[in-house]
Amino acid sequence: MKAMELDHDMLLNAARTMEREGGSFAEHIARAFYVADTTNRELLLTAFDDLFCKFYRQHLINKRIQGETA
């Protein structure tokens, strides 16, 4: 999986999870993502591909766990 392959909603879910569950660096990358224009958003996704993919996978795990406990 590559961050550039994720759609906008998937990327927002990754960023929200980064903000909640990541450290301060990941939180700041997520906030930069929210306000970035298209060019800078692409730069963020390329530079921090691993973070966006990691936290999107974590979002899916969290969603699965919440479904099991609901």
Side-chain angles (χ1 to χ4, degrees), residues 37-55:
D37 61 19
T38 303
T39 302
N40 287 314
R41 189 170 282 185
E42 288 178 9
L43 288 171
L44 285 168
L45 294 175
T46 301
F48 301 105
D49 177 80
D50 58 332
L51 278 178
F52 282 93
C53 291
K54 172 185 174 179
F55 283 100

Side-chain angles (χ1 to χ4, degrees), residues 64-70:
R64 189 174 311 133
I65 290 170
Q66 289 173 357
E68 291 173 1
T69 60

Side-chain angles (χ1 to χ4, degrees), residues 10-65:
M10 293 171 163
L11 291 168
L12 283 176
N13 286 325
R16 289 179 187 129
T17 304
M18 271 199 247
E19 232 182 338
R20 280 192 317 272
E21 299 181 23
S24 61
F25 183 79
E27 180 181 348
H28 283 84
I29 296 301
R31 290 181 181 176
F33 174 80
Y34 297 143
V35 298
D37 61 19
T38 303
T39 302
N40 287 314
R41 189 170 282 185
E42 288 178 9
L43 288 171
L44 285 168
L45 294 175
T46 301
F48 301 105
D49 177 80
D50 58 332
L51 278 178
F52 282 93
C53 291
K54 172 185 174 179
F55 283 100
Y56 181 66
R57 284 190 295 272
Q58 186 61 47
H59 161 75
L60 293 176
I61 291 167
N62 294 348
K63 188 174 169 183
R64 189 174 311 133
I65 290 170

